[in-house]
Amino acid sequence: MKIRPDEEHKYNSPWNIAADFDVDMSFSKDEIMTMLDDYVDYKKVELDKEYFSEKLYFYTSGYPFLVSKLCKIIDEKIMPKQELKWEKEYITLAVKELLEDSNTNFDSLIKNIENNKELAQIVDNLLINGMSIAFNIYNPCINLGVLYGIFKNDKGKLKINNRIYEQLIYDYRTSKIQTSTDFSNYNEKEKFIDSNGDLDVKKILIKFGEFMKHEYSEKREGFLEEDRRLVFLAFLSPIINGGGFAFKEVQGGEEKRFDIVITYNKKMYILELKIWRGEGYHKKGLIQLGKYLEQYGLEEGYLLIFDFRKSVNSIGAIQESYVDIKDSRKKIVEGYC
C-alpha cells in the first residue's frame, strides 16, 4: 500500500476536511521484485527476479490479489518440490491455471458486467471493438466500473484493470458462443495436432473457413465484427485446451487488429484477425505482422481475414505471402472467411 508523500502534511492541515485519502493499492514492478526477494530468501528458490517481476506486472498491473495468486500457483502447483526453481514458462502455466479457477473475485467481476447492459457494452467496446474511450470519473457507468475494479485510468484513457481480467472476459464471452454453436463437425482436436504434438494453425484456418462458409454464409450480412472474432476464439478454444494457452489482445488504430499469441507444446504461434479494408491496408498489415514476428523471433505467422466483399468469393481461400523484415524473410499464411 502506498500513500502519497504529502499525506503526512495533510493530517496536520487545517483544511484536511477537503483532503482526499489517496491510496494506491497496486504493487509496482519494484515492489513485486521486493516480494520475490523475500520469497527467495525464505524458500531458497532460484528464479529470474527481473523477468518474473516484469511478467507478473504485465499480467496483473500490480493487482495484489492476482500477484499473490499467480505466485502461489507457481509455488504450490507448478514448481516440482525437489527442484526449487522457477522456469520462465511457469508464468504462462500459472495464468492459464488461474483463469480456470473459480473464486469470488472472478465471480463478482462477471456478475457485475452481466447485470449492467451499459457497463457490458463499454467493456465490449474496449476489449472487442478496440475503441478509444476517454476516462471520465463523472460518467456514472465508468465510475461504477472503477468501483467494481473493472476499469482504470491509464493516462487519461479508459482501460480494463489488468490483462488477467481481459482474458477472463474474453473466455467468458467465448464460452457463451460455444454453448450456442455447434462446431463438432469442424474442430475435432486430433485433426489439428501433427505427429510431433505441435499445432497445425494452417489447418485451423482452413477448417474455420469451411465452417464459416457452410454454417454462417446466410448470417454474414448482419454479422458484427466483434462476433466474428469471438466465434473464431470459440472455434479455437477446444483445440488448444489441455495443452496450450491463447493470449488475446485488441490493438487500436486504423485497422483495430486483434492479436492472438498461442503457446502450445512449448511453441509459440502468432495469429492476427482483421477485417478486409482494402489492398493498401492489407499490405501495411502484412508488414506490421512481419515486424511482430521479428519481435518474437518467429519466421512464420498467420492472418485470418474477414472479407465481406460481394464481388469476391474469398471464403475458405488460403494463400501464402512473404515480407522482408531487416535481413529476415517472414512467411505469412492468410486465411479468408
Side-chain angles (χ1 to χ4, degrees):
M1 180 182 293
K2 297 174 287 183
I3 301 177
R4 284 196 315 210
D6 61 345
E7 206 64 50
E8 184 177 350
H9 166 73
K10 286 186 177 181
Y11 288 145
N12 300 317
S13 168
W15 315 115
N16 62 6
I17 192 171
D20 291 331
F21 186 65
D22 190 2
V23 180
D24 183 358
M25 297 294 291
S26 62
F27 295 137
S28 67
K29 295 175 189 176
D30 289 340
E31 287 171 325
I32 294 174
M33 187 175 292
T34 299
M35 292 173 60
L36 293 176
D37 280 332
D38 293 340
Y39 169 71
V40 168
D41 289 342
Y42 171 73
K43 199 157 183 178
K44 310 303 178 187
V45 171
E46 180 184 345
L47 61 87
D48 185 334
K49 287 176 282 189
E50 183 71 33
Y51 174 84
F52 279 101
S53 61
E54 181 77 29
K55 286 296 184 181
L56 285 165
Y57 189 82
F58 172 82
Y59 283 114
T60 69
S61 296
Y63 195 86
F65 169 77
L66 299 176
V67 173
S68 298
K69 285 287 285 186
L70 288 175
C71 291
K72 182 180 175 68
I73 289 170
I74 294 175
D75 180 64
E76 297 182 359
K77 295 185 177 182
I78 297 176
M79 179 184 68
K81 301 303 178 187
Q82 66 276 16
E83 291 186 9
L84 293 180
K85 181 180 180 181
W86 285 22
E87 301 291 350
K88 289 186 175 180
E89 64 264 25
Y90 289 176
I91 187 67
T92 303
L93 296 175
V95 170
K96 183 175 182 292
E97 176 90 18
L98 177 57
L99 288 170
E100 294 172 352
D101 179 44
S102 177
N103 58 70
T104 55
N105 184 284
F106 288 178
D107 291 345
S108 296
L109 181 83
I110 296 301
K111 287 177 183 176
N112 288 330
I113 294 173
E114 280 293 287
N115 291 335
N116 189 312
K117 290 184 179 180
E118 187 178 354
L119 182 62
Q121 185 58 61
I122 294 177
V123 169
D124 281 358
N125 285 340
L126 290 172
L127 281 187
I128 312 299
N129 300 330
M131 286 178 58
S132 177
I133 302 175
F135 182 89
N136 189 324
I137 197 64
Y138 297 109
N139 180 314
C141 205
I142 291 177
N143 196 330
L144 187 63
V146 172
L147 180 65
Y148 288 154
I150 300 168
F151 297 145
K152 67 178 179 180
N153 181 357
D154 184 10
K155 300 177 182 177
K157 297 292 186 181
L158 183 67
K159 299 288 185 182
I160 301 298
N161 194 298
N162 56 75
R163 288 180 172 87
I164 294 289
Y165 282 180
E166 290 180 357
Q167 304 311 303
L168 179 70
I169 296 167
Y170 281 132
D171 290 348
Y172 172 69
R173 291 291 310 276
T174 299
S175 177
K176 292 183 72 174
I177 291 177
Q178 285 178 322
T179 55
S180 61
T181 307
D182 184 8
F183 297 107
S184 58
N185 293 327
Y186 300 91
N187 68 343
E188 294 178 25
K189 180 172 183 171
E190 294 74 18
K191 295 179 180 178
F192 307 102
I193 310 300
D194 66 20
S195 57
N196 296 319
D198 296 330
L199 203 59
D200 191 331
V201 181
K202 183 176 179 179
K203 279 187 179 179
I204 293 175
L205 297 184
I206 292 172
K207 293 302 287 186
F208 182 70
E210 291 179 9
F211 168 79
M212 293 294 287
K213 183 174 184 178
H214 297 297
E215 306 295 336
Y216 263 82
S217 57
E218 296 180 0
K219 303 179 183 180
R220 285 166 61 82
E221 288 296 327
F223 205 28
L224 299 175
E225 184 174 353
E226 60 265 30
D227 290 337
R228 305 169 202 144
R229 294 166 171 173
L230 291 173
V231 168
F232 178 75
L233 290 175
F235 184 92
L236 175 68
S237 180
I239 297 173
I240 65 172
N241 274 357
F245 174 68
F247 179 80
K248 291 81 67 179
E249 191 164 30
V250 67
Q251 303 291 339
E254 294 175 307
E255 293 186 276
K256 295 182 181 177
R257 76 181 196 272
F258 191 86
D259 297 337
I260 305 175
V261 179
I262 303 169
T263 52
Y264 192 93
N265 196 27
K266 296 186 177 181
K267 289 190 176 181
M268 180 181 289
Y269 309 84
I270 292 180
L271 171 63
E272 284 191 3
L273 279 60
K274 60 176 59 179
I275 190 171
W276 177 267
R277 300 187 189 277
E279 192 62 42
Y281 278 122
H282 179 60
K283 290 180 179 178
K284 184 178 177 181
L286 290 175
I287 295 172
Q288 193 174 50
L289 178 52
K291 291 179 179 178
Y292 200 19
L293 294 172
E294 180 70 14
Q295 178 184 334
Y296 280 91
L298 299 175
E299 300 303 315
E300 183 171 308
Y302 305 88
L303 184 61
L304 179 60
I305 301 169
F306 297 99
D307 189 351
F308 283 68
R309 291 173 293 174
K310 293 182 179 180
S311 60
V312 179
N313 185 20
S314 61
I315 308 175
I318 295 288
Q319 66 183 47
E320 296 179 357
S321 300
Y322 293 87
V323 293
D324 294 320
I325 306 296
K326 296 182 179 179
D327 297 325
S328 177
R329 170 157 284 201
K330 307 298 183 183
K331 176 182 176 181
I332 299 176
V333 179
E334 304 174 56
Y336 288 77
C337 62

